[in-house]
Amino acid sequence: MLTLAGSEKFNKAELEALLAKIKILIYARVSTDGQVDNYSIESQIERCMDLAKQKGITEDEVVVLVEDGESGDNPNRPMINYVLFLLEYGIGDHVIFLHPNRMSRFLHLQTQLSNRIWSLGKDFWFVEFDFDKSSPESMLNFNIQGSIAEYNKAKILADTKRGRITKVKNGQIPGLNRIYGYTYDTELDTLVENPVEKEIYLKMVDMLLHKDYSCSRIAEELSLRNVPAPKKDRWYQVTISRIFKNETYTGNYYFGKTKVIRNADGTKRQVPQPREEWRRISVPVYIDMETYHRIQKRLDELNKNKPGRPTEDYLLQGICRCGRCGAAVSSGVTTKTKNRLLKYYVCQHKTKKSYEVGTGESNPICKGRNWRVDYVDKIVWVYVKNIISKPTEIFERIVKQQSENSNSDDLLKQKTKLEKSLQEKETTRERYTEMYAAGIIKMKDLEDKVSAVDMQVKDIKKELHTIKHKLLATFHNANDVNLIQDTLKKYQYIMNENLITMENRRKIVRVFLSKVVLNDNKIDLHFKASKNIMDGIIDMEKEKILSL
């Protein structure tokens, strides 16, 4: 008996070997609300295997697929999707579930899943439910089971929500993320004073208001004093800022700042709620409201006077990336010389410093040189001017580069796979939010899980964006390039005008370039697909930028 769990999959050779061998797939799931199911994975597998043996199936003819910690209302559960994939591949004739609610706790999802299995010419059995799809009475009972499961799910969520609201009315906090300076009392369900961290917090307030320390300076000072950070080994400037912005220290903890709502397509999202709908819970007071407002005013002053604030007069705003780490690049750092002020492009990861507890050592995420704005802007602007004044050579390169893209069929397959993966990740994120709203997980767990999913979504979107551009390039021919060249010839004269504003220069650059990557020793220019370039030119005409 083969067993897959988590993200495990068979490779192609294994799939081929299983084609003529496997007759049964067993699907076992412990949901996020598993505490009310009383269905352990082991017991599900054992009982499903007993049924398989009653049907004359041996363990060598069975594959078990384990879905751990997935809610029954999730239409994109990884293992249930893999069950469908295996059936479609030709592996297995039947799927065994312990009960219809292991399929799903929602009737419409249960119906969709059963119809999908039948459409593949396959079937399923239940251990705890006699089912015969040819019997109208059996189908009715099957649908009733789905309705009951959906009702029970809704009742669990309603009871949980009611319990959380009751706790709030009684001055209790139904679980939350750690707040520096307090300890969460799990018996009383509230925040209690943490004397050591309270003293540190008040020293931080004194540093900000009376010693004129910045948040970064405070982080460094705490590190030098060997004060343990919320995440143990490093103090971050953003951590200090977040602590100062938290109103809880005034003795006011608010519940219900956000709410989970269901979209028209069945997905869920978290939205902020009006302040008047927040529920206040009293906690130990560390500062008064007047001090809190002074803190916010001081933070605003530090923000406005910050020397590294990005400026607006640089060409590559919004499209510049660091070649070392991939982070965004902006302009803000300046140096004074005898004759003028020099501005630099700076990787944003260089400005996000942390300070090691005990040594105070600064640890920027990205280390390396900055890039002079005047040098970089001149190189890129001259290049774009050449595209417009002498477009033939440039566009021949673009066409050649685009023609070297992968076969369109392969790209389409990759695109479909990535879109499916993206949908799964976004559904997972919404599910975690629902789990927090239902009180199943705490805020800290929510933030950790959502953060991990967001990083994966970012990577998938980035790869998907690249593939879409390759597809555009593959599907558009040289006629597009000729049209662009003819159009640009009409507007070559504008490049000699000295009246072009920086904003309009940026718009012109963005017509041709999707991204500019600054490396230590070179600049990489990433061209847009020809169709996008044409659309950009049309947009500039509409805005009358090309008729200056």
Side-chain angles (χ1 to χ4, degrees):
M1 182 172 61
L2 298 172
T3 300
L4 296 182
S7 59
E8 293 179 319
K9 300 288 186 292
F10 294 120
N11 60 40
K12 190 170 183 179
E14 291 170 334
L15 289 171
E16 293 297 325
L18 295 174
L19 270 174
K21 181 180 179 181
I22 300 302
K23 295 181 179 179
I24 295 292
L25 304 179
I26 291 177
Y27 177 80
R29 174 176 68 86
V30 171
S31 66
T32 53
D33 52 351
Q35 65 271 21
V36 298
D37 288 334
N38 293 321
Y39 295 143
S40 71
I41 289 294
E42 293 76 14
S43 65
Q44 288 183 62
I45 295 173
E46 182 180 355
R47 297 186 63 190
C48 289
M49 192 63 230
D50 287 343
L51 178 60
K53 290 178 180 178
Q54 293 174 24
K55 300 286 186 179
I57 307 298
T58 66
E59 289 192 1
D60 291 340
E61 298 172 311
V62 175
V63 169
V64 177
L65 299 106
V66 176
E67 194 99 76
D68 195 8
E70 289 289 343
S71 175
D73 62 352
N74 178 11
N76 286 302
R77 284 167 275 158
M79 274 304 173
I80 199 65
N81 286 336
Y82 199 58
V83 166
L84 297 173
F85 166 79
L86 292 177
L87 293 175
E88 191 171 8
Y89 200 88
I91 297 174
D93 298 316
H94 287 77
V95 186
I96 298 181
F97 302 89
L98 180 70
H99 189 276
N101 64 20
R102 296 303 85 196
M103 258 187 164
S104 175
R105 281 188 171 275
F106 277 62
L107 177 59
H108 70 284
L109 293 179
Q110 180 180 290
T111 303
Q112 287 177 6
L113 185 56
S114 57
N115 286 335
R116 177 73 187 281
I117 293 174
W118 289 331
S119 71
L120 295 171
K122 313 293 183 177
D123 211 337
F124 49 85
W125 297 317
F126 299 111
V127 176
E128 296 184 346
F129 181 73
D130 292 329
F131 179 65
D132 179 5
K133 68 178 180 180
S134 65
S135 167
E137 291 78 11
S138 183
M139 285 297 297
L140 175 62
N141 288 332
F142 179 55
N143 290 332
I144 290 174
Q145 285 288 333
S147 298
I148 292 173
E150 189 167 341
Y151 166 75
N152 287 335
K153 173 77 171 182
K155 191 173 185 303
I156 291 168
L157 292 177
D159 290 344
T160 303
K161 183 177 180 181
R162 191 181 303 113
R164 289 163 66 84
I165 292 175
T166 300
K167 279 189 174 183
V168 173
K169 288 181 178 178
N170 293 331
Q172 297 174 310
I173 302 174
L176 79 168
N177 193 18
R178 164 169 159 71
I179 297 179
Y180 187 81
Y182 296 92
T183 300
Y184 184 73
D185 189 317
T186 55
E187 293 184 2
L188 299 176
D189 288 325
T190 190
L191 291 175
V192 296
E193 181 180 309
N194 183 317
V196 175
E197 292 185 356
K198 176 184 177 181
E199 183 181 357
I200 298 300
Y201 171 76
L202 294 176
K203 287 180 179 179
M204 291 163 56
V205 173
D206 181 65
M207 291 179 196
L208 181 77
L209 297 182
H210 302 120
K211 296 184 179 179
D212 288 333
Y213 282 16
S214 66
C215 292
S216 182
R217 175 72 186 280
I218 293 172
E220 183 179 14
E221 185 68 22
L222 294 176
S223 299
L224 289 169
R225 295 184 184 185
N226 205 25
V227 175
K231 293 188 177 180
K232 303 304 180 185
D233 59 345
R234 296 189 188 283
W235 278 100
Y236 294 83
Q237 177 272 333
V238 68
T239 302
I240 304 297
S241 177
R242 189 181 297 120
I243 289 173
F244 281 144
K245 291 177 182 179
N246 195 331
E247 197 174 333
T248 302
Y249 302 101
T250 64
N252 301 304
Y253 175 82
Y254 291 99
F255 176 83
K257 290 183 178 182
T258 60
K259 180 181 179 180
V260 177
I261 64 172
R262 186 178 291 273
N263 299 320
D265 61 357
T267 59
K268 301 179 183 68
R269 59 192 173 96
Q270 197 169 18
V271 296
Q273 294 300 289
R275 189 179 179 93
E276 56 269 20
E277 295 183 14
W278 298 358
R279 294 177 180 267
R280 178 184 173 276
I281 300 173
S282 295
V283 297
V285 181
Y286 291 178
I287 58 173
D288 56 31
M289 284 302 298
E290 181 183 354
T291 303
Y292 176 77
H293 290 308
R294 287 173 59 203
I295 290 172
Q296 306 316 304
K297 182 179 179 181
R298 178 59 183 152
L299 292 177
D300 289 340
E301 290 172 352
L302 289 171
N303 232 12
K304 291 176 182 177
N305 298 327
K306 194 174 180 181
R309 285 177 61 82
T311 58
E312 298 296 324
D313 56 341
Y314 61 102
L315 187 63
L316 305 181
Q317 186 181 30
I319 64 169
C320 196
R321 311 293 294 188
C322 173
R324 294 186 297 264
C325 69
V329 170
S330 62
S331 172
V333 172
T334 59
T335 58
K336 290 183 179 180
T337 66
K338 291 182 178 180
N339 302 320
R340 57 176 172 160
L341 195 68
L342 296 178
K343 297 180 181 178
Y344 291 85
Y345 282 111
V346 184
C347 172
Q348 290 188 3
H349 276 174
K350 284 190 67 176
T351 62
K352 294 181 180 179
K353 296 180 179 178
S354 65
Y355 298 89
E356 186 177 19
V357 172
T359 66
E361 182 181 349
S362 174
N363 298 279
I365 298 174
C366 181
K367 298 181 180 180
R369 55 171 289 188
N370 298 331
W371 303 271
R372 275 183 56 171
V373 168
D374 54 341
Y375 287 171
V376 173
D377 283 2
K378 181 179 180 180
I379 291 171
V380 175
W381 182 242
V382 168
Y383 203 89
V384 171
K385 286 176 65 176
N386 287 336
I387 293 176
I388 294 179
S389 61
K390 300 175 182 178
T392 303
E393 179 182 348
I394 298 297
F395 279 100
E396 282 178 354
R397 280 183 53 195
I398 296 176
V399 172
K400 181 180 179 182
Q401 177 183 340
Q402 293 173 352
S403 67
E404 293 172 353
N405 288 328
S406 302
N407 180 273
S408 60
D409 290 338
D410 292 336
L411 289 172
L412 285 171
K413 289 179 182 178
Q414 293 178 44
K415 178 174 174 288
T416 301
K417 184 177 179 181
L418 287 170
E419 287 174 340
K420 182 178 179 181
S421 179
L422 181 62
Q423 185 181 16
E424 291 175 357
K425 297 300 180 186
E426 291 178 340
T427 302
T428 298
R429 191 185 196 283
E430 292 161 1
R431 185 174 67 258
Y432 287 143
T433 302
E434 180 187 0
M435 289 164 62
Y436 168 69
I440 297 171
I441 62 175
K442 295 183 178 181
M443 176 62 80
K444 184 180 185 304
D445 294 327
L446 173 66
E447 289 185 344
D448 291 343
K449 292 177 181 294
V450 168
S451 177
V453 171
D454 284 346
M455 290 180 65
Q456 295 170 354
V457 167
K458 184 178 179 181
D459 291 339
I460 293 171
K461 284 184 175 180
K462 185 177 180 180
E463 190 174 352
L464 192 57
H465 181 76
T466 302
I467 288 177
K468 286 180 177 178
H469 274 287
K470 288 183 178 181
L471 280 170
L472 280 171
T474 302
F475 293 145
H476 293 286
N477 56 35
N479 290 332
D480 296 317
V481 177
N482 293 333
L483 180 59
I484 294 172
Q485 291 174 344
D486 292 340
T487 305
L488 288 178
K489 287 178 183 177
K490 302 176 184 178
Y491 303 111
Q492 290 177 4
Y493 73 93
I494 70 167
M495 309 309 291
N496 298 319
E497 293 286 339
N498 294 322
L499 299 178
I500 302 177
T501 65
M502 179 58 72
E503 180 182 0
N504 284 337
R505 288 191 183 199
R506 283 197 290 261
K507 289 180 179 179
I508 292 171
V509 167
R510 289 171 187 162
V511 168
F512 302 100
L513 302 177
S514 61
K515 181 171 61 176
V516 176
V517 178
L518 301 183
N519 300 284
D520 287 334
N521 299 310
K522 65 174 182 175
I523 300 175
D524 293 329
L525 305 180
H526 293 249
F527 287 97
K528 290 184 176 179
S530 56
K531 175 64 168 57
N532 291 345
I533 292 176
M534 191 65 234
D535 290 342
I537 292 172
I538 292 172
D539 288 341
M540 284 205 301
E541 288 193 271
K542 289 179 181 178
E543 296 180 27
K544 301 188 182 302
I545 294 173
L546 293 178
S547 59
L548 291 172

